[in-house]
Amino acid sequence: MGRHGILSIGGIEKTRELMNVTLGKEKADLALINATILNVYTGELLEDYSVAIKGEWIAYVGNDPEDTIGPHTHVIDATGKTIIPGLIDGHAHLVWLYSASEFLRYAMVGGTTTIITEIIEPLYTVGYNGVVDFLASISDQPIKIFGTVPAMVSISKRARGIPKEVLKKLLTRDDILGLGESYWQTVIKEPEEYLPIFKETLDSGKRLEGHSAGAKGEKLMAYIASGISSCHEPINAEEVLERLRLGMHVMIREGSIRSDLDSISRIKDSGIDLRRLILVTDGIGPEDLLRKGYMEFVVQKAIDCGFNPIHAIQMATINVAEYFFLDGIIGGIAPGKYADIVIISDLKTIKAEYVISKGRIIAREGDLLVSPRKHTSSAQNLKSVHLSRVLEPVDFSIPVTKEVSQVNVRVIEQVTGLVTKELIVSVPVIDGEIRSDVSKDILKVAAIDRRFDPGKIFVGLIRGFRLKTGAIASSTAWDTPDIIVVGENDADMAGAVNRIHALQGGIVVFANGNALAEIPLPIFGLIADMPLHALVQRIEETKRGIRDLGVPFDDPLLTIMTLTTAAIPFLRICDEGLLNLKDGRTVGLVID
Amino acid sequence: MGRHGILSIGGIEKTRELMNVTLGKEKADLALINATILNVYTGELLEDYSVAIKGEWIAYVGNDPEDTIGPHTHVIDATGKTIIPGLIDGHAHLVWLYSASEFLRYAMVGGTTTIITEIIEPLYTVGYNGVVDFLASISDQPIKIFGTVPAMVSISKRARGIPKEVLKKLLTRDDILGLGESYWQTVIKEPEEYLPIFKETLDSGKRLEGHSAGAKGEKLMAYIASGISSCHEPINAEEVLERLRLGMHVMIREGSIRSDLDSISRIKDSGIDLRRLILVTDGIGPEDLLRKGYMEFVVQKAIDCGFNPIHAIQMATINVAEYFFLDGIIGGIAPGKYADIVIISDLKTIKAEYVISKGRIIAREGDLLVSPRKHTSSAQNLKSVHLSRVLEPVDFSIPVTKEVSQVNVRVIEQVTGLVTKELIVSVPVIDGEIRSDVSKDILKVAAIDRRFDPGKIFVGLIRGFRLKTGAIASSTAWDTPDIIVVGENDADMAGAVNRIHALQGGIVVFANGNALAEIPLPIFGLIADMPLHALVQRIEETKRGIRDLGVPFDDPLLTIMTLTTAAIPFLRICDEGLLNLKDGRTVGLVID
C-alpha cells in the first residue's frame, strides 16, 4: 500500500493512548503550558494555550490542560514564549559532503523536525543498494527524513532513467513521498521515457516533483500537463506567480545553490492566496549549515524580507505537509499529530529555545540533547570508486587523426560559477594532438566513469576556469557516476584522479605531482566521514588551494561538481562526451 | 494500489495529447476565449483569459490561445463572462428517494461536476452487492461521483460494523475516497471496533470523514486523535472555529437536513485562513433539488451571506479537491486538470450559462444537453423487502406478563422534527397489554427487520408525533435494514407494513384499512423509479396525507426515517429495541 502506512503510524495503540490522556484516564509525558501558540490551520496567534504530549504525539491543545498533567508529567512553563510547529524543509539534498548524522546535529538544534530530500546521488554512483543504504542512514533518527525516488535525469545515457523495478520497490516504501525533480526540457523532449515513470508514481498516490528552471508559457504548461505539481526553481515573483496560477505548488529556494527569497519576496504584496508557497533550501552546503543554520535561517529571512511571520511559518510547516499529503501527521499543532514543536521568544525571532521532535526535547538554547544515530555504511558503499587501471598522462591527451594544423572545437565556456555555454573555437593541432593553452585560458576537462565501464574517459576543453597550474578533481559530479577533473597539464590530471582512486572518493587539488589539499569522501565517493567543523576546515583549505591556483569562483567546488549536471544550462560533459542542453545531443569535442 | 489510479487517469496518452495541443502540434476541441477567469489557486480574477480543451482535459490557460485553435475547434466567445471551476459537493447522500440519473439531471444543469457521496444505505438494506450496484449506477456519468466506504455506525448490533473484507475491497476502488462519517460517540465508546477500520483506511492513503455533532473540548480532541480529518456537523461559527483550530477540515452544511450557512457565515469576519472550509449539502431532498437547485444554490447563499465570492467558490472547488487529495485532477482551471468549467455572468451570480464537464458542454442556460446514464438495478436489489409472513395486528401488541395495572416505560419523546429524548412515563396495562393512547398522544412505533431475520419486530411508544388515526410506515429507515412504522392502531400498522412489502419498498400512509398515499421505492426499498417531478408530486401528496392525520412536522418523512439513526440524539429505535445514545445501551420498553 505504499507510503500510506506513514499516515497510520503509531496505529491503534497510539490512538488509544492519546484518547486516554485527552479523556483524563492517563497523564501526559510532557506538557508545554501558558504559551502563545501559532495555529497554522487558522493563521491565528492564540494566547494562554497549552499542549500535552503522550509518547511521540500531541494529545491535547487548549487552555485547560490540568486533567492531562500528573506527577510524572514534565511541565515546561512557556509563559511569555511562542510555540510553533517544527519546521519542514520540503526540498533538500542531504548528500552534500557531510554524513547524515553530522548534518542532523546542526539541523536539529534550529528547529527543523522533518526533511524531504532527494536521494539521487547514491543511485548514480552505486545503484539500488547505495540508495537503500543511504535511506537506512537517514531513517530512525530523532527527526523525520523522507526521500523522493530519483527520476534519473542525466546527461549520461548509461546513468539515465530509473529501472522500473527500482522505481516500484522505492515507491512502496513509507519513507518515499514521490518522484524527485524531473528537469522539464528532458520531459518535453523525451516524454516516452518519463511519462510511464510519472504514471507509476501517480498510481502510487505520491507526488511528482518538478524542475522547471526558465520554463514559461506553453512549454511550462506542457510540462505541467504531465502531472508535475511543484517547482523550486523560480527566481523571481513573476515566475512564482505564473507557476501558482497554473496550479503548481511553488517552493521558494533559499540555500547554498541559490538564494531566491529576496527577489521572490515581492510576491507578498500581491495579495494572492499564499497557501501553495513553500520555503525550501534545495540543499545547504557544509559551510552555510555551520554558519547560518538551516530552516530557521530561511524562515527568519522570509520574515526579514517582509513576509507576515504567520505566512512565513505556514510556508515551512502546514503548506509543505499539505503538499506531500502529510498533514494528517505533521505540519501543525493538533491532537494526533507528531509532537514536533519549537519554542521561540516571539513570532519574529526564529531562534529555538526548545526543539521538541516526536515528543522528545532534542535541543535547548542551541545545545543538542539527543544525538543523531551514526550509520555504518556497507563495504560496497565504502569502495565505490572503480578504475580499471592507474591513469597515465597519456590518458588525457586529445589526439587528432586528421592531418590538419587547426581544428574547430566545442569549448565549455564558464559564464558564471554555475552557468556554462558552448563556445566554438579554432585551436591548433600540435604533434597530432590538441593541448591546453593556459595563456588563452583553454584547459582540459575530463570525465571518467567510475562505475559502469571503469576508466572510460572523455576529454574536452574549458574556458573561463582560470586555473594557472595543476589540476582539480572530484568524485562527486552531479547526475553521473563520473570523476570530473579540470587541469592545466595531463600529469597532474592523472595524478589527481589516481589520488581520488586511492582515497576511494574525494576532492583533490593537485599540482607538480603532489596533492596540495584534499577532502576524503569515502562513502559512495560522495560523503566525508568526519565532524562537520573538520569538514568545513578541509573545504576551506581546499577552496583556498584552488583559489591559489587562480580559479576565481565563489564556490569552486560547486563549479566543478556541476560541470556534469543537466540542471544548469548549457554545455555539459560526461564520460560519453559533451551535451548541449538546448538540443539534448551528445557530441564530441572536434567539429567535423 | 487503491484510489490512486484516479490521479493518473487518462494516463500517458492524455499527457501526450495535451502536450501536443499546448506545444501547437494539435488543435484543441473546445476553447473558451476572452473570459474573466477565477484562479482559485491564487484567488485572483484574471481578465482576458482563454482556456483550450482537448478531450476531457484542459490543455491551455492563458491570454494567447491562438496556436491551440484550429478550424475544427469549437470556440465559445466568453467576452464579458466569468469562468469558474466546476462545483464540488464534498459530502452528499445520493440515496434520497430519487434515482441517480434523475438526481443528476437536476444537479448537472447548475454547474456541479463532482460529488462525494455516502453510500451506506444499500449496505444496510442489501449488503455488499447492493453497494456495488449503487456504485455502478453513479459511475460513468457525465459528471464524476465518488463514494466513501460506509463506517456502518448503527444502533442495530446486527447491522453495525463493516466486514473487514468488504472494507478492503471497497478501499481498493478508484471511486472510493475514504471512510464515511463515523459518529463520534460510538468511536469514543467503542474504539476497539472502529480504530482497526480507521487504520485500514489511513493505510490505503484515504480520508477519514468525521461526524462530531455537539462534541467539544477533550472529547472532540479524543475523536480527532483517531485520525478523523473532517466534520460537516458544526452549526455555528464557534463550533467551526474549534474544529479548524484542532486541524480538521470543516464542511459547512447547507442542504435539506440542516441549513447552517447563515449561522456559520459570521466566521468570515474573523480574519482566519479559510483554506480548510468546504461547502457541502450533506444531501439534498427531492423537493429542494427541484426548487432550489444544488451546489450553485449553496455557493450563491454563501455569497449572499457575505462571504467574499472568491472564498465562496474556493470552498466549493479547490478546498474540497485538496482535502480529498484530488487537486491533481479537479478543483481548478489549469493544464492537466479535468475540463470542468462553469461560465457565469459575473462572480456574484452563480447561475450557469454553460456547464462543461470532462470537456463536454453538458448544460446551457438551464437546459441539459447530455443525459445521465440510466442504470438498471439487478433483480436482487429490486426485491429487498423481506418479511417472513403477512403481519397481523397482533404483531403490534405489547403484552405485559406481570400482573400489574401500571408500568413505567421508556417513551421516545419527539422534541423537534428530528431530535428526540427519553421520557419515562407510567402507562396503564389493559387486558395484559400496553395500548396506544391518542388522547395523551402516546402512539406505538415499531421497527421490523426486513433483511437479517425478516419480520423480527420491536414495538415501542412515541409521544409528540400527534398522529390522530391510521399509521405511517417507511422502508427507508436510516442506519438500519428496518421498516419503521408509527401508528394509532395495530391494524393500520400491520396494513401499512404489508403494503410496503407488496410494493417491495415505499412510504405508505394508511388509515381505516386503506393506503391514503404512497411512494413506491422499489430499488433497495429506498429509491423511486420515476421522474423527479413525479416523485416530488408523490412526496407532496404523502406529506399532505400525513399532515391531514395530524402530524405537524415540516418534513414528516424525515422525522419517521430518522427514528432509527444514531446520528441525531437521543432515544432511537430498531428491531432490537430502544437505544439511548447517551449511554449506548440497547434496552426494552418496560422498565423493570
Side-chain angles (χ1 to χ4, degrees):
Chain A
M1 292 248 187
R3 112 187 121 86
H4 309 296
I6 201 66
L7 294 179
S8 69
I9 195 162
I12 297 166
E13 274 319 304
K14 160 200 163 186
T15 308
R16 234 189 269 276
E17 275 199 337
L18 295 184
M19 281 183 161
N20 283 344
V21 172
T22 310
L23 298 174
K25 296 179 203 163
E26 273 187 65
K27 298 302 173 188
D29 298 324
L30 176 62
L32 321 178
I33 62 170
N34 307 324
T36 297
I37 193 171
L38 173 61
N39 190 304
V40 292
Y41 305 112
T42 60
E44 295 170 297
L45 263 186
L46 301 169
E47 307 272 321
D48 194 24
Y49 254 62
S50 299
V51 180
I53 294 162
K54 182 74 183 174
E56 301 188 350
W57 308 92
I58 295 169
Y60 173 95
V61 184
N63 40 32
D64 185 17
E66 285 306 304
D67 286 354
T68 68
I69 297 175
H72 302 297
T73 305
H74 176 183
V75 176
I76 297 174
D77 186 343
T79 305
K81 306 294 181 187
T82 296
I83 72 179
I84 63 173
L87 304 177
I88 306 171
D89 186 356
H91 190 85
H93 284 265
L94 294 198
V95 179
W96 195 320
L97 304 180
Y98 39 61
S99 65
S101 57
E102 277 302 306
F103 164 80
L104 282 170
R105 299 183 65 80
Y106 293 81
M108 284 158 52
V109 293
T112 300
T113 53
T114 303
I115 298 167
I116 295 106
T117 181
E118 292 282 337
I119 54 169
I120 194 162
E121 301 84 356
L123 195 55
Y124 281 128
T125 50
V126 176
Y128 179 69
N129 290 337
V131 168
V132 170
D133 195 39
F134 180 69
L135 285 171
S137 78
I138 59 177
S139 74
D140 194 21
Q141 293 284 9
I143 67 172
K144 292 166 293 303
I145 311 180
F146 298 96
T148 48
V149 181
M152 302 298 280
V153 178
S154 170
I155 66 167
S156 157
K157 288 197 188 80
R158 208 142 36 173
R160 186 188 302 173
I162 183 154
K164 198 149 188 192
E165 69 279 8
V166 172
L167 177 73
K168 283 188 186 231
K169 271 192 282 188
L170 289 175
L171 282 175
T172 61
R173 292 177 63 117
D174 277 358
D175 56 358
I176 293 292
L177 300 182
L179 187 75
E181 49 196 9
S182 303
Y183 308 149
W184 71 277
Q185 298 97 331
T186 321
V187 173
I188 289 186
K189 212 165 282 155
E190 299 164 10
E192 64 287 350
E193 256 192 71
Y194 293 96
L195 296 186
I197 296 169
F198 289 6
K199 178 166 166 24
E200 195 75 32
T201 306
L202 292 174
D203 278 346
S204 76
K206 303 189 179 192
R207 287 292 198 183
L208 295 180
E209 290 260 77
H211 188 290
S212 63
K216 60 184 178 181
E218 286 75 5
K219 285 182 179 170
L220 180 58
M221 290 184 213
Y223 181 57
I224 289 174
S226 69
I228 291 280
S229 49
S230 75
C231 181
H232 56 275
E233 292 289 331
I235 58 173
N236 57 47
E238 291 67 37
E239 289 189 352
V240 170
L241 194 56
E242 182 176 13
R243 283 159 180 75
L244 288 176
R245 284 174 174 170
L246 292 171
M248 272 189 161
H249 299 249
V250 175
M251 296 168 169
I252 305 176
R253 167 167 55 180
E254 183 69 27
S256 301
I257 296 291
R258 283 189 60 94
S259 171
D260 297 319
L261 242 171
D262 222 357
S263 159
I264 290 175
S265 66
R266 276 207 308 110
I267 203 153
K268 73 188 185 304
D269 307 318
S270 63
I272 63 160
D273 196 325
L274 302 179
R275 69 170 94 173
R276 290 180 162 225
L277 280 185
I278 292 169
L279 294 173
V280 303
T281 62
D282 197 18
I284 193 102
E287 298 148 285
D288 283 343
L289 180 62
L290 189 68
R291 306 233 164 84
K292 295 179 178 174
Y294 192 48
M295 284 303 294
E296 70 282 8
F297 172 83
V298 178
V299 176
Q300 184 68 58
K301 178 150 181 188
I303 294 169
D304 296 344
C305 284
F307 276 103
N308 176 330
I310 293 176
H311 294 158
I313 295 166
Q314 285 179 319
M315 291 193 289
T317 56
I318 187 64
N319 295 11
V320 203
E322 289 185 341
Y323 173 62
F324 285 107
F325 305 136
L326 288 180
D327 62 289
I329 53 168
I330 60 170
I333 299 174
K337 317 295 182 203
Y338 270 116
D340 293 349
I341 294 171
V342 185
I343 304 184
I344 55 180
S345 63
D346 64 274
L347 206 59
K348 289 185 177 162
T349 312
I350 310 300
K351 192 163 183 312
E353 301 187 0
Y354 284 86
V355 181
I356 295 160
S357 175
K358 295 191 262 182
R360 283 202 294 178
I361 303 169
I362 61 167
R364 188 170 172 183
E365 304 282 3
D367 289 332
L368 203 63
L369 304 187
V370 173
S371 286
R373 189 178 56 76
K374 198 166 153 39
H375 174 76
T376 305
S377 293
S378 73
Q380 183 196 7
N381 298 314
L382 294 171
K383 193 163 168 47
S384 71
V385 177
H386 305 290
L387 288 179
S388 55
R389 63 193 187 284
V390 173
L391 291 183
E392 302 289 341
V394 70
D395 286 311
F396 295 86
S397 70
I398 308 175
V400 177
T401 45
K402 275 195 205 158
E403 298 222 348
V404 290
S405 60
Q406 289 279 135
V407 286
N408 285 332
V409 292
R410 302 173 178 91
V411 173
I412 298 172
E413 165 92 356
Q414 197 78 46
V415 181
T416 71
L418 295 174
V419 176
T420 62
K421 66 176 188 186
E422 181 180 276
L423 190 74
I424 309 294
V425 177
S426 175
V427 293
V429 178
I430 301 164
D431 297 339
E433 63 177 299
I434 297 166
R435 296 185 181 168
S436 56
D437 181 352
V438 75
S439 73
K440 291 183 174 155
D441 190 26
I442 291 181
L443 307 177
K444 286 187 182 169
V445 55
I448 303 114
D449 184 2
R450 65 173 170 102
R451 181 177 169 211
F452 297 107
D453 185 359
K456 177 168 183 284
I457 186 168
F458 174 81
V459 187
L461 296 170
I462 189 167
R463 198 177 82 166
F465 210 83
R466 310 236 208 118
L467 184 72
K468 299 294 176 246
T469 184
I472 302 155
S474 169
S475 59
T476 170
W478 286 21
D479 308 352
T480 67
D482 288 353
I483 298 169
I484 182 87
V485 56
V486 175
E488 175 267 339
N489 69 78
D490 298 351
D492 284 332
M493 289 177 87
V497 174
N498 290 331
R499 178 63 189 156
I500 282 178
H501 188 209
L503 289 171
Q504 274 302 304
I507 299 172
V508 171
V509 185
F510 210 87
N512 303 315
N514 290 305
L516 304 182
E518 62 187 24
I519 311 169
L521 300 171
I523 304 164
F524 311 125
L526 305 172
I527 293 174
D529 185 17
M530 63 179 93
L532 185 71
H533 61 86
L535 173 61
V536 167
Q537 203 176 327
R538 286 279 192 152
I539 291 170
E540 285 171 346
E541 285 168 17
T542 306
K543 283 183 176 176
R544 242 191 331 267
I546 297 173
R547 263 185 227 112
D548 288 349
L549 300 183
V551 178
F553 307 116
D554 278 350
D555 186 346
L557 302 187
L558 201 57
T559 304
I560 194 161
M561 284 177 207
T562 54
L563 282 171
T564 51
T565 186
I568 307 172
F570 289 97
L571 192 63
R572 299 286 153 184
I573 185 173
C574 69
D575 64 83
E576 296 164 6
L578 295 165
L579 190 122
N580 190 320
L581 295 173
K582 286 186 181 169
D583 62 15
R585 288 193 314 128
T586 304
V587 289
L589 176 69
V590 175
I591 301 169
D592 297 320
Chain B
M1 293 249 188
R3 112 185 121 85
H4 310 297
I6 201 67
L7 295 179
S8 69
I9 195 162
I12 297 166
E13 273 320 303
K14 160 201 163 185
T15 308
R16 234 188 269 276
E17 274 199 337
L18 295 184
M19 280 183 160
N20 283 343
V21 171
T22 310
L23 298 173
K25 296 179 202 163
E26 273 186 65
K27 298 302 174 188
D29 298 323
L30 176 62
L32 320 179
I33 62 170
N34 307 325
T36 297
I37 192 172
L38 172 61
N39 190 303
V40 291
Y41 305 113
T42 60
E44 295 170 296
L45 263 185
L46 301 168
E47 309 271 322
D48 195 25
Y49 255 62
S50 300
V51 180
I53 294 162
K54 182 73 182 174
E56 301 188 349
W57 308 92
I58 295 169
Y60 173 95
V61 184
N63 40 32
D64 185 17
E66 284 307 304
D67 287 353
T68 69
I69 296 174
H72 302 296
T73 305
H74 176 182
V75 176
I76 297 174
D77 187 343
T79 304
K81 306 293 182 187
T82 296
I83 73 179
I84 63 174
L87 304 177
I88 306 172
D89 186 356
H91 189 86
H93 284 265
L94 293 199
V95 178
W96 195 321
L97 304 181
Y98 38 62
S99 65
S101 58
E102 277 301 305
F103 164 80
L104 283 170
R105 298 183 66 80
Y106 292 81
M108 284 158 51
V109 293
T112 300
T113 54
T114 303
I115 298 167
I116 295 106
T117 182
E118 292 282 336
I119 54 169
I120 195 164
E121 300 84 358
L123 196 54
Y124 281 128
T125 49
V126 177
Y128 179 69
N129 289 338
V131 168
V132 170
D133 195 39
F134 180 69
L135 286 170
S137 78
I138 59 177
S139 74
D140 194 21
Q141 292 285 8
I143 68 173
K144 292 166 292 304
I145 311 181
F146 298 96
T148 47
V149 180
M152 302 298 279
V153 177
S154 170
I155 65 166
S156 157
K157 289 197 188 80
R158 206 141 40 173
R160 186 186 302 173
I162 183 155
K164 199 150 187 190
E165 69 278 9
V166 172
L167 177 73
K168 283 188 186 231
K169 270 191 282 189
L170 289 174
L171 281 175
T172 60
R173 292 177 63 118
D174 277 358
D175 55 359
I176 293 292
L177 300 182
L179 187 74
E181 49 195 9
S182 303
Y183 309 148
W184 70 276
Q185 297 98 330
T186 321
V187 172
I188 288 186
K189 214 164 282 156
E190 298 164 12
E192 65 286 351
E193 256 193 70
Y194 292 96
L195 297 185
I197 296 169
F198 289 7
K199 178 167 165 24
E200 196 74 32
T201 306
L202 292 174
D203 278 346
S204 77
K206 304 189 179 191
R207 287 291 196 182
L208 294 181
E209 290 260 76
H211 188 291
S212 63
K216 60 184 176 181
E218 286 75 6
K219 285 181 178 171
L220 179 59
M221 290 184 212
Y223 181 58
I224 289 174
S226 70
I228 291 282
S229 49
S230 75
C231 181
H232 56 276
E233 292 289 330
I235 58 174
N236 56 49
E238 291 67 37
E239 289 189 351
V240 169
L241 194 56
E242 183 177 12
R243 282 159 180 74
L244 289 175
R245 285 175 175 169
L246 291 171
M248 273 189 159
H249 299 248
V250 175
M251 297 169 168
I252 305 176
R253 167 168 55 179
E254 183 70 26
S256 300
I257 295 290
R258 283 189 60 94
S259 171
D260 298 318
L261 242 172
D262 222 356
S263 159
I264 291 175
S265 66
R266 277 204 309 111
I267 203 153
K268 72 188 186 304
D269 306 318
S270 64
I272 63 160
D273 195 325
L274 302 179
R275 70 169 93 174
R276 290 179 164 225
L277 280 185
I278 292 169
L279 293 174
V280 304
T281 63
D282 196 18
I284 192 103
E287 297 148 285
D288 283 344
L289 180 63
L290 189 69
R291 306 232 164 85
K292 295 178 177 173
Y294 192 48
M295 283 304 294
E296 71 283 8
F297 172 83
V298 179
V299 176
Q300 184 69 58
K301 178 149 181 190
I303 295 168
D304 296 343
C305 285
F307 276 104
N308 176 331
I310 293 175
H311 294 158
I313 294 166
Q314 284 178 320
M315 291 193 287
T317 56
I318 187 65
N319 295 11
V320 203
E322 288 185 342
Y323 173 62
F324 285 106
F325 306 136
L326 289 180
D327 61 288
I329 53 169
I330 61 170
I333 299 173
K337 317 294 182 205
Y338 270 116
D340 293 349
I341 293 170
V342 185
I343 305 185
I344 55 181
S345 63
D346 64 274
L347 206 58
K348 289 184 179 163
T349 311
I350 310 300
K351 193 164 184 311
E353 300 187 1
Y354 284 85
V355 181
I356 295 159
S357 175
K358 295 189 264 185
R360 283 201 296 178
I361 303 169
I362 62 168
R364 189 170 173 184
E365 305 282 2
D367 290 331
L368 203 64
L369 303 186
V370 173
S371 286
R373 188 179 57 76
K374 198 165 153 37
H375 174 75
T376 306
S377 294
S378 72
Q380 182 197 8
N381 298 314
L382 294 171
K383 194 164 168 46
S384 72
V385 177
H386 305 291
L387 288 180
S388 53
R389 64 191 187 285
V390 173
L391 291 183
E392 303 289 341
V394 70
D395 286 311
F396 295 86
S397 69
I398 310 175
V400 177
T401 46
K402 275 193 204 161
E403 298 222 348
V404 289
S405 60
Q406 290 279 136
V407 286
N408 286 331
V409 292
R410 300 172 180 92
V411 173
I412 299 173
E413 164 93 356
Q414 197 78 47
V415 182
T416 71
L418 294 174
V419 175
T420 62
K421 66 176 187 187
E422 181 181 274
L423 189 74
I424 309 295
V425 177
S426 176
V427 291
V429 178
I430 300 164
D431 297 339
E433 64 175 299
I434 298 166
R435 297 187 181 167
S436 57
D437 180 352
V438 76
S439 73
K440 290 183 175 157
D441 190 26
I442 291 182
L443 307 176
K444 286 187 181 169
V445 53
I448 302 114
D449 185 2
R450 66 174 171 100
R451 182 177 168 211
F452 297 108
D453 184 358
K456 177 167 183 285
I457 186 168
F458 174 81
V459 186
L461 295 171
I462 188 166
R463 198 176 83 166
F465 211 82
R466 311 235 209 120
L467 184 71
K468 299 295 177 240
T469 184
I472 302 155
S474 170
S475 60
T476 169
W478 284 22
D479 308 352
T480 68
D482 289 351
I483 299 170
I484 181 87
V485 56
V486 174
E488 175 268 337
N489 68 80
D490 298 351
D492 282 334
M493 289 177 87
V497 174
N498 289 330
R499 179 62 190 157
I500 283 178
H501 189 208
L503 289 171
Q504 273 302 305
I507 298 171
V508 172
V509 184
F510 209 86
N512 303 316
N514 291 305
L516 304 183
E518 62 187 25
I519 310 167
L521 300 171
I523 303 164
F524 310 125
L526 306 172
I527 294 173
D529 185 18
M530 62 179 94
L532 185 71
H533 61 86
L535 173 62
V536 167
Q537 203 176 326
R538 286 278 193 154
I539 291 170
E540 285 171 346
E541 286 168 17
T542 305
K543 283 184 176 176
R544 241 191 331 267
I546 296 173
R547 265 188 226 109
D548 289 348
L549 299 183
V551 178
F553 308 116
D554 279 350
D555 187 345
L557 301 186
L558 202 56
T559 304
I560 193 161
M561 284 177 206
T562 53
L563 283 171
T564 51
T565 186
I568 307 172
F570 287 96
L571 192 64
R572 299 287 153 185
I573 186 172
C574 71
D575 64 84
E576 296 164 6
L578 295 166
L579 192 122
N580 189 321
L581 295 173
K582 285 185 182 170
D583 62 15
R585 290 193 312 131
T586 304
V587 289
L589 176 68
V590 176
I591 301 169
D592 297 320

